Amino acid sequence: MKKEGTINCMIKNRMTLLALCLCLISLTVPAQDRKVLTLEDITSGRFRPNNIYDIIPMSDGEHYTQMNNDSTQIVEYSFRTGEKVEVLFDIAMARECPFKHFDSYQFSPDGKKILIATESEPIYRHSFTAVYYLYPLYRNNKGVMTNNIIEKLSDGGSQQSPVFSPDGNMIAFVRNNNIFLVKTLYNNSESQVTNDGKINAIINGKPDWVYEEEFEFTSALEFNADNTMIAYIRFDESQVPTYSFPLFAGEAPKNKRYNLYPGEYTYKYPKAGCENSKVEVRTYDIKSHITRTMQVPIDADGYIPRIRFTKEADKLAIFTMNRHQNRFDLYMCNPRSKLCKLTLRDENPYYIKENIFDNIRFYPNHFSFMSERDGYNQLYWYNINGTLDKKITSGKDEVIDFLGYDMNNKIFYYTAYDNSPMCKAIFKTDSKGRKTKLSENKGTNNALFSTSMKYYINKYTSLTNPMLITLNDNTGRTLKTLVTNEKLKNELSEYNIPQRHFFTFKTSDGVKLNAWMIKPTNFSPDKKYPVLMYQYSGPGSQEVLDRWSLTWENYMATMGYIVVCADGRGTGGRGQAFEKCTYMKIGVKEAKDQVETAQYLSTLPYIDKERIGIWGWSYGGYMTLMSMSEGTPVFKAGIAVAPPTDYRFYDTIYTERFMRTPQENAEGYNATSAFTRADKLHGKLLIVHGMADDNVHFQNTAEYSEHLVQLGKQFDMQIYTNRNHGIIGGNTRIHLYTKLTNFLLNNL
């Protein structure tokens, strides 16, 4: 809780011809003879576009790898041609291989070893444990791989967050909250770096729950450039309050140990205004075994969201933020002397967005930085001592991601909005500030570059185009088309599928909002239709984007509903003033904008203003409650899935970024609570929640539903046993959407 360049005419013409052919195909199939979407089509993922996952660029800058479909091979491909080069790893060929498939893999920095993950077990949203194996990529003088024996990384139990040393001869990992070190040159000898790790108390080398969820990382340990030191973040969460939720035997999967008596899961979860983990950065000297604590002047309640060793062995970059998250400090620290020097400070009158961390990249003598200091997210280029060399980008088209820097040609590559907050394109800017758009198709483009920055794989989609994946050079020229999804397009042409289209409107405050609408395929302007509004609405989020999707909203349009989604104030892509106007009172302006969306729709001649509903998940579920209780009775029905109901129940990092603490902003928390306005709840309500939701706790729904009971407000509720925030597993997803569909058919 992401091109004014060379146009490839041949590809463009082929795309136009394909679209024309599909149009002709659809015209030859009478509308009444076309197939109708089913709920199973949507929930099963039957129409999910073909994609290429887990692509890893190789260190040579000319090749990339991916797993084969049955997870038994790692295959190398050429970035220049897109052709298969060789199979780097094959379970059937590896000697002494004890597993039949694997889950993921990573290369050593020199590309001579592969670390392969098996038996992966999820922990939270991003983290997992796995049993890892090492596979050497040794070649003889003829270039043929030899010595294909696979070795277990450790016999001491499953591992977490393994990291290679730069020379590839060591691997550090976390087990049971402690750091371990394996030296491959010494027969995989294993030593223990830390000894104080303890569940729900001390964590070394990996983040606690709230850091993982809100700062989005799973590894908090690093090797320095000359392979002599390890740096890691140590989390002391002993004073953080615990949260527990019940676990039942359940089904899919069934946990037999809870057949008679339920169990529980207990973990540290800091709620708004409560104690966070105490964090510090330590270094470990691999040769002398000396551990040191860095003298970084962090606030007592501050954050350390990342550490990064630079290209210099004696420079450790430590990222810090104050608890309000409106001040970011970058320190350069000596891992042996422990001394730290402030290199860069960035401050914001509201808050600093969390996406800056992974957009800070270190190069010899320089690093990249991202800031909203001029009101729009842009890229900056600093020397290693913290002096600004140049502002790389400017204007109102915000930068989304920094993709890399070509040191030889002094060119920066990045993803940014393309004359609209609904479109994303790939750009480059040279040393003279000349900007070139590389991606030719308007819509949503996402790129993965080779390590040499000579090539990239582009994934393109738009409202009318499923995933198109191309291999390109760094001028934007298409070298090969890897995935077209023509088969999916042909299959979809046999169905009556309502399509999204964009529109805009102005609220009573004069704010223009972007939105999309799906009309039923047999739409008639002379009829009156019920409306289902979908939204997420969270700070910085976007749902109104030029990208393809086939979701439950399309299905509901086949059931005779007009479906609408509007990105209200607080959402992203339109600059700081638009996104951060909800600061200190999230949920209030957003709810008003959803109400005004309904009011605008009520003025359209084909809308039945007496039958307008709203739904959402997570923040969108919260917004459903806030909008139905705004005081303007425009919604006949609503669905809130996994909703936060009072932000006092939610975590510190996310909540306080936008609201500060309840102690500082009591009035704001009261105004943003769904409890405060529950007496004005209007319309039929369905609340849905998973009992094992580690993110938005079931407590939110339990307490809010009790409040409605005491207010005498009737509502429907659906609870899912042992399900987390995603509410999946076994038959759960089809059951959920059947429940949502039937509720709307009965009440809207």
Side-chain angles (χ1 to χ4, degrees):
M1 173 342 356
K2 297 155 208 337
K3 300 171 186 171
E4 284 120 341
T6 305
I7 301 294
N8 188 311
C9 294
M10 290 181 64
I11 291 293
K12 187 174 182 180
N13 290 339
R14 284 204 298 268
M15 292 292 293
T16 303
L17 182 60
L18 174 62
L20 179 60
C21 290
L22 289 174
C23 190
L24 291 173
I25 290 171
S26 65
L27 289 174
T28 62
V29 182
Q32 66 271 19
D33 294 334
R34 288 188 213 150
K35 300 175 184 177
V36 177
L37 281 176
T38 68
L39 204 48
E40 289 77 9
D41 289 333
I42 299 298
T43 58
S44 68
R46 176 184 172 188
F47 296 123
R48 186 178 295 119
N50 288 333
N51 202 338
I52 302 176
Y53 299 100
D54 303 321
I55 300 169
I56 298 181
M58 298 185 72
S59 58
D60 65 3
E62 295 292 328
H63 301 91
Y64 65 92
T65 63
Q66 64 185 91
M67 295 163 57
N68 67 343
N69 290 334
D70 59 0
S71 302
T72 61
Q73 295 180 339
I74 298 172
V75 184
E76 177 182 344
Y77 294 87
S78 167
F79 257 118
R80 185 173 57 84
T81 66
E83 297 298 319
K84 177 179 174 180
V85 176
E86 65 176 323
V87 176
L88 294 179
F89 173 75
D90 188 338
I91 286 176
M93 301 300 292
R95 293 160 57 194
E96 302 179 20
C97 185
F99 51 86
K100 296 182 179 180
H101 63 85
F102 58 97
D103 305 317
S104 60
Y105 66 97
Q106 65 188 83
F107 287 96
S108 60
D110 61 4
K112 294 181 179 179
K113 298 182 184 72
I114 307 177
L115 191 60
I116 299 171
T118 69
E119 302 178 45
S120 299
E121 294 289 341
I123 304 174
Y124 300 122
R125 189 191 296 265
H126 307 289
S127 57
F128 62 92
T129 62
V131 176
Y132 285 90
Y133 291 83
L134 266 172
Y135 186 76
L137 297 176
Y138 296 134
R139 299 178 187 272
N140 60 24
N141 55 13
K142 295 182 179 180
V144 178
M145 283 199 288
T146 61
N147 191 32
N148 57 339
I149 297 178
I150 193 160
E151 299 177 285
K152 202 171 187 180
L153 177 64
S154 171
D155 290 319
S158 57
Q159 305 94 47
Q160 236 183 300
S161 306
V163 177
F164 273 104
S165 61
D167 63 7
N169 293 327
M170 292 178 286
I171 300 169
F173 64 84
V174 177
R175 178 194 291 126
N176 298 329
N177 289 7
N178 279 313
I179 299 171
F180 294 79
L181 180 65
V182 171
K183 297 180 179 179
T184 61
L185 294 181
Y186 294 88
N187 199 29
N188 289 355
S189 65
E190 182 177 317
S191 59
Q192 190 164 340
V193 174
T194 67
N195 295 281
D196 59 344
K198 185 180 179 182
I199 301 300
N200 286 335
I202 303 295
I203 309 173
N204 295 292
K206 69 182 183 73
D208 64 5
W209 183 92
V210 71
Y211 269 70
E212 175 184 332
E213 175 67 25
E214 304 303 355
F215 288 145
E216 297 187 352
F217 70 115
T218 58
S219 178
L221 60 91
E222 292 257 325
F223 283 91
N224 70 341
D226 66 3
N227 314 287
T228 61
M229 305 281 289
I230 294 173
Y232 61 94
I233 306 176
R234 180 182 184 269
F235 295 80
D236 181 351
E237 60 176 0
S238 57
Q239 300 305 309
V240 177
T242 59
Y243 183 84
S244 300
F245 52 79
L247 294 173
F248 302 92
E251 296 181 29
K254 187 174 184 64
N255 196 327
K256 293 182 179 179
R257 62 177 168 163
Y258 302 137
N259 272 349
L260 194 56
Y261 289 94
E264 67 177 13
Y265 182 77
T266 299
Y267 67 118
K268 298 288 187 168
Y269 186 105
K271 300 198 174 193
C274 294
E275 193 81 10
N276 273 316
S277 289
K278 303 297 183 186
V279 288
E280 60 187 26
V281 177
R282 294 185 176 182
T283 61
Y284 173 76
D285 190 307
I286 295 171
K287 185 175 181 179
S288 69
H289 310 298
I290 295 174
T291 298
R292 302 174 175 91
T293 301
M294 298 298 97
Q295 297 173 356
V296 58
I298 183 177
D299 295 345
D301 58 355
Y303 298 111
I304 302 178
R306 295 288 191 282
I307 56 172
R308 290 283 184 268
F309 267 113
T310 68
K311 302 302 180 183
E312 300 176 43
D314 62 349
K315 276 190 169 63
L316 171 64
I318 299 178
F319 304 177
T320 75
M321 296 186 82
N322 62 339
R323 184 152 180 169
H324 286 163
Q325 299 173 70
N326 59 6
R327 186 186 75 238
F328 171 85
D329 287 336
L330 172 61
Y331 288 93
M332 290 296 181
C333 302
N334 186 298
R336 287 188 171 85
S337 74
K338 304 181 292 186
L339 295 178
C340 298
K341 179 183 177 182
L342 180 63
T343 300
L344 180 149
R345 170 168 288 181
D346 197 38
E347 296 183 281
N348 192 284
Y350 308 101
Y351 54 88
I352 291 171
K353 295 168 73 169
E354 75 283 2
N355 70 341
I356 70 167
F357 307 129
D358 291 326
N359 285 291
I360 300 174
R361 310 274 185 86
F362 291 96
Y363 297 86
N365 302 316
H366 284 87
F367 63 90
S368 58
F369 189 67
M370 186 179 281
S371 175
E372 292 181 289
R373 61 186 57 161
D374 70 350
Y376 295 88
N377 213 35
Q378 302 296 345
L379 281 174
Y380 298 80
W381 191 238
Y382 282 84
N383 70 28
I384 202 68
N385 296 317
T387 301
L388 178 64
D389 270 8
K390 67 172 68 175
K391 185 180 181 184
I392 302 169
T393 62
S394 60
K396 294 185 178 181
D397 283 335
E398 295 194 307
V399 174
I400 303 164
D401 285 306
F402 176 54
L403 299 174
Y405 176 60
D406 181 345
M407 292 185 290
N408 294 326
N409 298 298
K410 298 181 179 180
I411 297 175
F412 302 91
Y413 296 89
Y414 54 93
T415 307
Y417 293 103
D418 186 15
N419 295 316
S420 165
M422 297 181 288
C423 298
K424 299 178 182 180
I426 312 304
F427 296 90
K428 68 177 180 181
T429 295
D430 66 17
S431 59
K432 295 183 179 180
R434 291 175 296 203
K435 176 181 174 182
T436 303
K437 185 168 75 170
L438 301 181
S439 49
E440 65 177 28
N441 293 316
K442 184 178 180 181
T444 298
N445 293 272
N446 290 290
L448 176 67
F449 272 80
S450 64
T451 54
S452 62
M453 305 305 294
K454 291 168 60 177
Y455 313 99
Y456 68 94
I457 293 174
N458 190 63
K459 294 185 176 183
Y460 162 74
T461 179
S462 69
L463 279 189
T464 56
N465 288 283
M467 187 70 69
L468 173 70
I469 305 177
T470 56
L471 189 59
N472 308 269
D473 66 20
N474 58 13
T475 69
R477 181 169 61 101
T478 299
L479 303 175
K480 185 174 183 177
T481 299
L482 302 177
V483 175
T484 64
N485 276 296
E486 291 182 32
K487 181 180 178 182
L488 174 62
K489 291 178 182 179
N490 287 329
E491 187 175 4
L492 291 173
S493 69
E494 300 175 3
Y495 282 78
N496 253 331
I497 299 179
Q499 301 297 317
R500 287 169 169 78
H501 70 267
F502 293 126
F503 70 97
T504 62
F505 68 96
K506 281 190 176 181
T507 68
S508 61
D509 295 326
V511 179
K512 186 174 81 169
L513 300 184
N514 297 320
W516 53 251
M517 177 183 290
I518 309 175
K519 295 177 181 177
T521 47
N522 58 351
F523 172 79
S524 168
D526 299 323
K527 292 179 62 177
K528 294 279 189 180
Y529 293 90
V531 173
L532 174 62
M533 287 172 47
Y534 164 73
Q535 44 66 52
Y536 180 74
S537 304
S541 67
Q542 288 178 267
E543 294 297 323
V544 184
L545 287 167
D546 194 354
R547 63 186 178 191
W548 188 87
S549 63
L550 183 57
T551 63
W552 182 61
E553 285 73 30
N554 298 86
Y555 171 76
M556 291 307 294
T558 69
M559 302 295 285
Y561 293 84
I562 288 177
V563 186
V564 173
C565 175
D567 276 347
R569 285 172 291 180
T571 56
R574 299 179 60 175
Q576 180 168 265
F578 187 86
E579 180 174 333
K580 297 180 179 179
C581 70
T582 62
Y583 186 59
M584 300 290 272
K585 279 190 179 181
I586 57 171
V588 177
K589 290 179 180 177
E590 300 97 306
K592 183 179 180 183
D593 286 349
Q594 294 304 313
V595 168
E596 294 224 4
T597 301
Q599 290 175 321
Y600 165 76
L601 294 172
S602 298
T603 66
L604 302 179
Y606 47 83
I607 298 295
D608 184 347
K609 66 180 181 179
E610 302 301 325
R611 291 192 293 159
I612 299 178
I614 184 170
W615 95 281
W617 197 308
S618 195
Y619 198 100
Y622 161 67
M623 193 47 48
T624 293
L625 302 178
M626 293 291 285
S627 301
M628 293 178 71
S629 310
E630 188 265 351
T632 308
V634 294
F635 297 109
K636 185 180 181 184
I639 301 170
V641 181
T645 57
D646 189 308
Y647 273 94
R648 295 176 182 89
F649 295 150
Y650 202 55
D651 74 59
T652 49
I653 294 177
Y654 182 92
T655 305
E656 294 172 14
R657 182 184 300 148
F658 312 119
M659 292 284 290
R660 299 198 174 182
T661 66
Q663 295 87 336
E664 298 171 280
N665 185 22
E667 188 274 332
Y669 276 80
N670 287 335
T672 65
S673 173
F675 290 77
T676 304
R677 52 173 64 181
D679 60 325
K680 294 184 287 186
L681 177 68
H682 176 83
K684 300 288 187 178
L685 173 65
L686 169 63
I687 309 177
V688 180
H689 220 121
M691 292 190 72
D693 192 332
D694 63 284
N695 185 356
V696 179
H697 297 149
F698 177 64
Q699 174 190 22
N700 286 269
T701 286
E703 297 289 2
Y704 181 74
S705 62
E706 167 66 5
H707 188 58
L708 293 183
V709 169
Q710 299 309 319
L711 288 173
K713 297 280 187 178
Q714 293 294 319
F715 61 96
D716 291 319
M717 187 159 64
Q718 176 68 50
I719 305 305
Y720 286 98
T721 304
N722 291 354
R723 302 304 168 196
N724 64 16
H725 199 55
I727 313 183
I728 57 174
N731 199 47
T732 304
R733 189 48 72 95
I734 183 66
H735 185 279
L736 167 64
Y737 278 103
T738 300
K739 180 73 176 180
L740 305 191
T741 302
N742 290 339
F743 175 81
L744 292 175
L745 292 176
N746 292 330
N747 293 287
L748 200 56

